[in-house]
Amino acid sequence: MAVIAQKKKKAKRASVYANVTAQFNKAADIMELDADIRRILSKPNNEIIVNFPVKMDDGRIEMFSGYRVQHNNALGPYKGGLRFHPAVDIDEVRALATWMTWKSAIAYIPYGGAKGGIQMEPSKYSSEELEKITRRFTFALGNNIGPEYDIPAPDVNTNSQIMAWILDTFLSTMPPHERQRCIHVVTGKPIESGGSLGRDKATGQGVVFTIEEWTKDNNFGLKGATYIVQGFGNVGSWAARLLKPHGSILTAAEDITGAILNSKGIDPEKLTEHVWESGGVANYPDAEPICHETFMRTKADIFIPAALENQITKETAPFLDVRLVAEGANGPTDPNGDSILQSMGIDVIPDILCNAGGVIVSYFEWLQNKRSEFWELEEVDNKMYKKIVTAYKRVRDTAKKYNTDWRTAAYIAALSHLETVYKERGIFP
Ligand code: GLU
């Protein structure tokens, strides 16, 4: 038998961009989006792939592939995070960039959409190697990013330290007299290096603000309500910690290291410390280990997916026994999963609304940098609350007006804003 025939077929990963396209087409049909504008928005403006070498600690040279997709900049500079993950590829980055365009449009912040990343497993590298990889990637991107053009931020497996390295590399390659006015080339920076108070918790805080709005609409009390969280990185752990003061009870959590359950409650603060020390939720002492399916079947009031795409699918959606899915992650539900959630009567606060707190506070950080200001935490939180609640109401009203699901309504709200801008401005030449 030929060797090739013996080789196990590698499972093809579902296209994340196909999900975006399906969601976009559904909304565009319902709202009767102008055909020309539909054509424009159905393709990203620019797609940049850079392959670059980095010298490892042992002297070996390794090659890396980095991506930046700039989907649209009709509303303002391209904006969106950078992720370091083995699943990063052009299809995923294209999808994530497109979601950023819709996210900024719904929140009425003056940004377009972009996303990028490096295909790599960051835990395999030393801190020195990570710094070199980040700096060389920034150098390779060159003027494809810039403070008034395309502004990266943290995403999966990237944090404020990585943003500080990007900032330093970008500034170091600028002419000396221009350096001081470029600090807003990235957001999500450490506070001392130009970051904003409240940015670290912003995405999780936005998730909780939208959940609070949902409870008001549904006459539902958060005190004693149970919730389960998938992904215990920045977004998941902050959402979990910020729900605790409401008296809600975290009963199960899952990440790449495993899943855990304690129906009496898991302390989100203690679990966060455990994750920081050990690298994941597995082996948390005050809970029992469970399998993925048991996690997905855990009865709770709220499920917060805060990990990667395509977690709620036609296979897993029927497992869910919750009232609300609040999407902290980008793209956790695929279109089949969506239809099943609808038929099961489970409410969804869609990603482009639910996790918009991160980019909203990024916008505040960018404004503070441009104006040489530093805002108090209360001011940041209040301003974000107003923006995300206004966006929530916009989506809720759109869902009513078109008698449609919330994801489609969120798309319609974003697309209507973009359609108006394109119609007002026209197309050059
Ligand atoms: N990566 C985050 C997101 O997906 C934040 C983006 C930003 O702050 O620019 O929304």
Side-chain angles (χ1 to χ4, degrees), residues 234-255:
N234 174 282
V235 181
S237 72
W238 269 117
R241 280 175 283 170
L242 292 164
L243 273 173
K244 185 182 162 185
H246 290 275
S248 309
I249 304 159
L250 174 68
T251 52
E254 177 182 52
D255 68 7

Side-chain angles (χ1 to χ4, degrees), residues 68 79-83 96 100 103-104 111 114-115 151-156 158 187-188 199 203 235 328-330 351 355-363:
R68 187 74 178 167
K79 184 83 188 84
L82 292 174
R83 66 171 58 175
L96 292 163
M100 287 308 302
K103 204 182 290 187
S104 297
Y111 282 145
K115 197 72 147 215
I151 306 126
D155 197 77
V156 175
T158 55
T187 57
R199 176 62 186 86
T203 311
V235 181
N330 290 306
D351 49 4
N355 70 34
V359 73
I360 294 173
V361 178
S362 274
Y363 168 55

Side-chain angles (χ1 to χ4, degrees), residues 371-382:
R371 299 174 183 170
S372 301
E373 287 179 1
F374 189 70
W375 301 353
E376 294 303 326
L377 180 60
E378 209 189 341
E379 185 176 356
V380 174
D381 281 351
N382 287 342

Side-chain angles (χ1 to χ4, degrees), residues 161-172:
Q161 174 61 74
I162 302 226
M163 297 307 115
W165 290 330
I166 296 175
L167 171 67
D168 186 67
T169 309
F170 189 83
L171 295 186
S172 302

Side-chain angles (χ1 to χ4, degrees), residues 151-366:
I151 306 126
D155 197 77
V156 175
N157 292 335
T158 55
N159 56 20
S160 58
Q161 174 61 74
I162 302 226
M163 297 307 115
W165 290 330
I166 296 175
L167 171 67
D168 186 67
T169 309
F170 189 83
L171 295 186
S172 302
T173 55
M174 299 288 297
H177 65 282
E178 288 192 19
R179 285 180 195 158
Q180 283 327 308
R181 53 173 197 84
C182 289
I183 194 158
H184 52 306
V185 65
V186 278
T187 57
K189 299 181 286 290
I191 305 296
E192 295 80 358
S193 297
S196 173
L197 293 174
R199 176 62 186 86
D200 191 45
K201 66 164 182 159
T203 311
Q205 180 70 76
V207 170
V208 173
F209 283 156
T210 60
I211 292 174
E212 280 173 42
E213 283 310 296
W214 177 87
T215 63
K216 287 181 204 161
D217 282 348
N218 291 276
N219 225 346
F220 179 88
L222 275 176
K223 195 166 168 39
T226 50
Y227 61 106
I228 61 174
V229 177
Q230 184 190 48
F232 224 76
N234 174 282
V235 181
S237 72
W238 269 117
R241 280 175 283 170
L242 292 164
L243 273 173
K244 185 182 162 185
H246 290 275
S248 309
I249 304 159
L250 174 68
T251 52
E254 177 182 52
D255 68 7
I256 189 112
T257 64
I260 55 168
L261 169 85
N262 182 345
S263 44
K264 292 203 187 88
I266 298 167
D267 181 4
E269 304 284 352
K270 285 194 189 141
L271 181 58
T272 303
E273 272 169 38
H274 172 81
V275 169
W276 284 347
E277 278 159 22
S278 71
V281 302
N283 302 318
Y284 180 68
D286 288 334
E288 54 168 307
I290 51 170
C291 69
H292 174 60
E293 186 174 328
T294 307
F295 170 81
M296 296 296 278
R297 287 185 185 278
T298 305
K299 184 176 170 56
D301 294 304
I302 303 165
F303 175 31
I304 304 175
L308 296 176
E309 305 89 45
N310 288 345
Q311 298 301 308
I312 304 173
T313 59
K314 70 173 184 305
E315 284 81 30
T316 61
F319 296 162
L320 294 184
D321 192 0
V322 297
R323 292 185 58 162
L324 172 70
V325 173
E327 295 184 335
N330 290 306
T333 311
D334 76 4
N336 290 327
D338 250 334
S339 312
I340 295 170
L341 293 184
Q342 270 172 53
S343 66
M344 291 167 79
I346 297 175
D347 284 355
V348 176
I349 307 177
D351 49 4
I352 49 177
L353 166 66
C354 191
N355 70 34
V359 73
I360 294 173
V361 178
S362 274
Y363 168 55
F364 297 155
E365 176 176 330
W366 187 73

